């Protein structure tokens, strides 16, 4: 392809965009909205997963043992726990250690326990799971073991969090898919209008011996430019909104682990741009293949 | 070898069952100037469309420049068409482009470099005598001039064959005669020309080969022939 052809493609694509300005604008708008939602979802997902990770390091299952167990029974139980699927770490906490821990954590209110004549705490295991999602199942399994009197973990927090993330995932992915399809459809409509408004020229190109690709390329380019513009806009808006939110949260809720490093966020923006290109290419391919049979 | 187009028992029946060509066998030699005559609906346009591979024959074979047109793969069709220049009754120039750009467009679609375009487009405009009107738009030109622009576009690629379907159909007799001189000049440079026409006076005066069609059949084929009456 000579450079006259490259210039030609670009000029044609731009001309066409200007000609169908309303439809072009609508296509870009829908791409922007759908990718904005996707961007928000991805950032939310990154942050919840960071949040879950911090929780994960804190979260453990406390397995309280019956008081009548001897040392070998305890060791046997420990081995059983270690080999349970989903378990990553098992640590034995003797009742003496537990009391000590409790006294340290109580600090000034030590006197409450000072007049206890007997250690009320049982022996226990601290069990960590490979991921938070596994905690409920692992806990349920441990509860069935002999010698276990009670199992306690941050059940409610984990379950809530899982429900919320699942809900966010379903709604945002559904809307992204629906809006993405709408974007593909709108772009394909824009390109179809573009093809029809230039059918005379296309006819002339064909009898002058233009290849299919030569005829089709400006239209494909037009779709890709539409998709990419929408994606660029979406990325910019997502970036601005996210920056504002980070600043707000840093002030009001400094304990939340917000992901701010660009190396973790760059893939999101890159992904949005690539997806925009793909939406544009898909939309224009549909029309170009249906309406530009040579 | 010096035959540009061969038709072997070509029949074309359109979807609505109208028989446009009926068992046509025809050879066209390199450098020939052929008038295709016959009443409306005789199959003249259909014959040119088949050469150009705008459509396929229902039966029979067509060979252009040693290649079977019927068996061209889709990807080969554009390259086949680049060897054939087309001139139409309604010109088919792009109204929003200048005359120069219309001619250059024929080179652009073949992927020619700017360097080549700048060399060949002015040459073609000079052949048709429009070098002074290169920057004008089609609507600013007379019918005859528009047809010249169309011819410049058709020959800018230096095609083997020039097909003109009623090129003077919209033009007055004087302008038509001028255009015929141009066609003859192009033919004199070695380009084979097939011209479908109803202009009997032109056909009679030029004394070229005449192929007369009627009802899709070749009813007459003579060297230095005439338009003839009734067919
Ligand atoms: N696309 C088509 N579909 C169906 N029938 C067609 C088509 N094109 C041509 N025909 C029919 O085929 C026959 C030959 O048509 P063609 O256009 O080749 O005639 P022609 O000799 O060029 O006529 P004219 O002098 O009026 O241009 C006619 O009967 C016409 O109705
Ligand atoms: Mg005709």
């Amino acid at each position: 392809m000579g450079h006259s052809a490259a210039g030609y493609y670009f000029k044609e694509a731009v001309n066409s965009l200007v000609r169908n300005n309303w439809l072009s604008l609508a296509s870009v708008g829908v791409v922007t909205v759908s990718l904005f939602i996707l961007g928000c979802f991805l950032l939310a997902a990154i942050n919840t997963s960071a949040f879950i990770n911090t929780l994960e390091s804190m979260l453990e299952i406390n397995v309280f043992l019956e008081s009548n167990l001897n040392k070998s029974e305890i060791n046997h139980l420990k081995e059983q726990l270690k080999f349970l699927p989903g378990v990553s770490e098992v640590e034995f906490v003797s009742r003496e250690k537990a009391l000590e821990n409790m006294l340290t954590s109580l600090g000034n209110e030590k006197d409450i326990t000072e007049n206890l004549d007997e250690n009320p705490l049982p022996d226990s295991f601290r069990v960590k799971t490979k991921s938070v999602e596994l905690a409920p199942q692992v806990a349920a399994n441990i509860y069935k073991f002999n010698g276990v009197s009670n199992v306690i973990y941050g059940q409610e927090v984990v379950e809530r969090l899982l429900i919320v993330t699942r809900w966010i995932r379903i709604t945002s992915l559904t809307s992204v898919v629906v809006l993405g399809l709408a974007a593909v459809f709108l772009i394909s409509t824009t390109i179809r209008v573009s093809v029809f408004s230039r059918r005379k020229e296309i006819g002339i190109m064909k009898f002058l011996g233009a290849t299919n690709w030569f005829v089709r390329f400006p239209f494909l380019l037009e779709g890709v430019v539409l998709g990419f513009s929408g994606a660029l806009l979406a990325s910019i808006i997502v970036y601005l909104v996210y920056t504002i939110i980070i600043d707000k949260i840093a002030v009001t809720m400094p304990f939340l682990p917000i992901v701010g490093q660009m190396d973790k966020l760059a893939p999101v923006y890159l992904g949005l741009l690539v997806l925009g290109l793909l939406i544009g290419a898909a939309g224009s391919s549909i029309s170009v293949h249906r309406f530009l049979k040579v | 070898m010096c035959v540009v187009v061969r038709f072997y028992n070509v029949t074309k029946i359109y979807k609505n069952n109208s028989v446009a060509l009926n068992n046509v066998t025809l050879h066209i030699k390199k450098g020939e100037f052929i008038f295709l005559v016959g009443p409306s609906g005789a199959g003249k346009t259909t014959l040119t469309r088949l050469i150009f591979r705008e459509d396929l024959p229902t039966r029979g074979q067509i060979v252009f420049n040693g290649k079977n047109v019927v068996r061209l793969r889709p990807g080969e069709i554009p390259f086949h068409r680049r060897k054939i220049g087309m001139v139409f009754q309604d010109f088919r120039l792009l109204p929003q482009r200048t005359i120069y750009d219309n001619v250059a467009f024929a080179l652009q679609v073949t992927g020619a470099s700017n360097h080549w375009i700048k060399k060949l487009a002015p040459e073609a405009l000079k052949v048709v005598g429009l070098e002074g009107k290169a920057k004008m738009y089609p609507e600013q030109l007379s019918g005859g001039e528009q047809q010249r622009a169309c011819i410049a576009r058709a020959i800018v690629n230096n095609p083997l064959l020039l097909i003109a379907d009623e090129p003077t159909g919209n033009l007055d007799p004087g302008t038509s005669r001028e255009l015929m001189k141009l066609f003859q000049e192009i033919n004199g440079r070695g380009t084979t020309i097939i011209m479908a026409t109803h202009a009997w006076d032109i056909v009679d005066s030029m004394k070229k080969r005449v192929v007369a069609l009627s009802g899709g059949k070749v009813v007459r084929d003579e060297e230095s022939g005439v338009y003839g009456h009734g067919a």
Side-chain angles (χ1 to χ4, degrees):
Chain A
M1 162 194 324
H3 56 101
S4 92
Y8 163 82
Y9 291 142
F10 193 71
K11 233 188 289 172
E12 287 310 301
V14 170
N15 279 346
S16 220
L17 286 175
V18 174
R19 254 193 303 259
N20 306 326
N21 46 8
W22 281 111
L23 215 52
S24 302
L25 220 61
S27 316
V28 171
V30 174
V31 174
T32 305
V33 172
S34 51
L35 292 185
F36 173 74
I37 293 176
L38 182 63
C40 290
F41 162 70
L42 289 176
L43 291 179
I46 286 179
N47 279 296
T48 34
S49 105
F51 187 55
I52 287 174
N53 274 336
T54 32
L55 269 187
E56 213 152 67
S57 59
M58 298 189 297
L59 191 90
E60 52 199 18
I61 302 171
N62 288 302
V63 181
F64 297 102
L65 306 181
E66 280 162 7
S67 51
N68 55 1
L69 299 182
N70 62 36
K71 221 167 179 98
S72 80
E73 281 171 320
I74 288 173
N75 277 337
H76 178 66
L77 203 51
K78 186 170 180 178
E79 289 309 304
Q80 273 185 302
L81 289 176
K82 271 187 182 163
F83 287 107
L84 203 61
V87 169
S88 65
E89 227 181 290
V90 180
E91 188 195 345
F92 179 67
V93 181
S94 67
R95 48 201 301 247
E96 294 78 20
K97 182 84 171 93
L99 184 63
E100 204 177 294
N101 287 348
M102 190 163 126
L103 292 179
T104 0
S105 73
L106 284 174
N108 287 343
E109 287 151 271
K110 255 184 209 158
D111 46 312
I112 300 173
T113 54
E114 248 161 23
N115 43 15
L116 287 174
D117 35 350
E118 202 187 326
N119 181 353
L121 299 174
D123 287 329
S124 66
F125 284 114
R126 256 188 224 152
V127 176
K128 287 196 175 175
T129 53
K130 287 175 182 145
S131 78
V132 188
E133 284 95 338
L134 296 171
Q137 188 55 50
V138 170
N141 285 338
I142 294 174
Y143 198 71
K144 288 183 222 146
F145 285 2
N146 279 331
V148 172
S149 71
N150 202 3
V151 176
I152 292 176
Y153 71 102
Q155 196 166 351
E156 274 177 27
V157 180
V158 172
E159 276 169 6
R160 285 253 173 91
L161 204 66
L162 290 180
I163 288 169
V164 168
T165 49
R166 199 173 304 143
W167 188 80
I168 291 178
R169 203 174 292 167
I170 290 168
T171 48
S172 42
L173 286 187
T174 312
S175 39
V176 164
V177 168
V178 170
L179 281 165
L181 289 178
V184 169
F185 173 78
L186 253 177
I187 287 179
S188 94
T189 306
T190 310
I191 302 304
R192 191 176 69 196
V193 168
S194 188
V195 168
F196 275 108
S197 72
R198 293 175 55 202
R199 60 191 181 283
K200 210 180 137 189
E201 199 170 335
I202 292 168
I204 290 173
M205 287 162 91
K206 285 179 188 167
F207 82 67
L208 291 175
T211 58
N212 270 353
W213 265 111
F214 187 89
V215 177
R216 288 171 171 177
F217 199 76
F219 295 106
L220 287 177
L221 197 63
E222 187 183 343
V224 167
V225 167
L226 288 173
F228 188 75
S229 311
L232 197 64
L233 220 61
S235 304
I236 291 171
I237 298 172
V238 168
Y239 175 79
L240 293 176
V241 168
Y242 191 60
T243 313
I244 292 168
I245 290 179
I246 286 182
D247 288 350
K248 281 262 162 63
I249 287 182
V251 175
T252 55
M253 292 181 275
F255 52 88
L256 279 185
I258 293 290
V259 178
Q261 309 94 303
M262 209 50 204
D263 61 319
K264 290 214 177 113
L265 300 179
V268 172
Y269 297 117
L270 209 68
L272 292 184
L273 295 178
V274 169
L275 210 61
L277 286 179
L278 291 181
I279 287 175
S284 45
S285 303
I286 290 170
S287 279
V288 155
H289 283 97
R290 278 182 61 193
F291 302 105
L292 272 182
K293 296 231 168 71
V294 179
Chain B
M1 187 185 298
C2 51
V3 180
V4 182
V5 186
R6 297 170 194 268
F7 273 56
Y8 293 105
N9 306 107
V10 172
T11 294
K12 175 67 189 178
I13 302 168
Y14 284 108
K15 283 200 189 80
N16 56 0
N17 283 330
S18 67
V19 182
L21 289 178
N22 190 349
N23 206 26
V24 171
T25 297
L26 190 68
H27 298 317
I28 297 168
K29 290 196 281 293
K30 191 168 182 341
E32 267 191 307
F33 193 131
I34 292 187
F35 283 116
L36 221 46
V37 303
S40 195
K44 305 181 291 297
T45 298
T46 302
L47 192 145
T48 64
R49 279 167 36 89
L50 293 184
I51 299 174
F52 198 56
R53 183 52 180 82
E54 251 184 281
D55 213 337
L56 284 167
T58 312
R59 279 190 294 277
Q61 303 298 328
I62 300 164
V63 177
F64 174 81
N65 193 32
K67 267 208 146 176
N68 193 328
V69 176
V70 179
R71 294 210 202 108
L72 288 177
R73 284 180 285 111
E76 294 176 310
I77 295 172
F79 299 93
H80 164 70
R81 291 181 181 166
R82 288 176 196 179
K83 299 186 189 115
I84 303 172
M86 293 290 269
V87 175
F88 305 95
Q89 180 173 3
D90 56 357
F91 319 137
R92 302 195 197 173
L93 296 166
L94 290 166
Q96 71 277 25
R97 286 174 198 255
T98 64
I99 296 305
Y100 177 89
D101 286 341
N102 265 283
V103 174
F105 192 52
L107 293 167
Q108 246 170 2
V109 304
T110 66
S113 69
N114 278 333
H115 174 77
W116 267 107
I117 294 173
K118 285 200 183 102
K119 182 172 146 50
L120 295 178
E123 276 176 18
L125 283 171
K126 198 160 173 228
V127 170
V128 302
L130 279 184
E131 62 269 44
K133 309 217 164 173
K135 291 211 172 80
M136 297 175 105
Y137 288 87
E139 57 170 17
Q140 298 172 298
L141 266 55
S142 72
E145 287 167 335
Q146 287 186 49
Q147 192 57 293
R148 282 173 187 274
C150 183
I151 293 167
R153 181 180 62 185
I155 61 166
V156 72
N157 272 326
N158 194 25
L160 278 172
L161 174 66
L162 186 62
I163 294 175
D165 195 354
E166 299 185 44
T168 60
N170 285 338
L171 305 172
D172 66 83
T175 311
S176 300
R177 273 193 295 278
E178 292 282 304
L179 272 178
M180 281 305 147
K181 275 189 208 150
L182 176 57
F183 277 115
Q184 248 180 317
E185 200 184 308
I186 292 165
N187 179 236
R189 297 152 157 253
T191 307
T192 311
I193 295 180
I194 300 176
M195 185 179 296
T197 186
H198 292 291
W200 59 271
D201 51 331
I202 287 176
V203 176
D204 287 353
S205 68
M206 286 187 46
K207 310 220 163 24
K208 300 290 185 188
R209 181 175 167 193
V210 174
V211 173
L213 290 172
S214 184
K217 287 192 174 204
V218 176
V219 291
R220 182 159 54 87
D221 182 353
E222 47 194 24
E223 298 297 327
S224 91
V226 292
Y227 189 81
H229 298 285

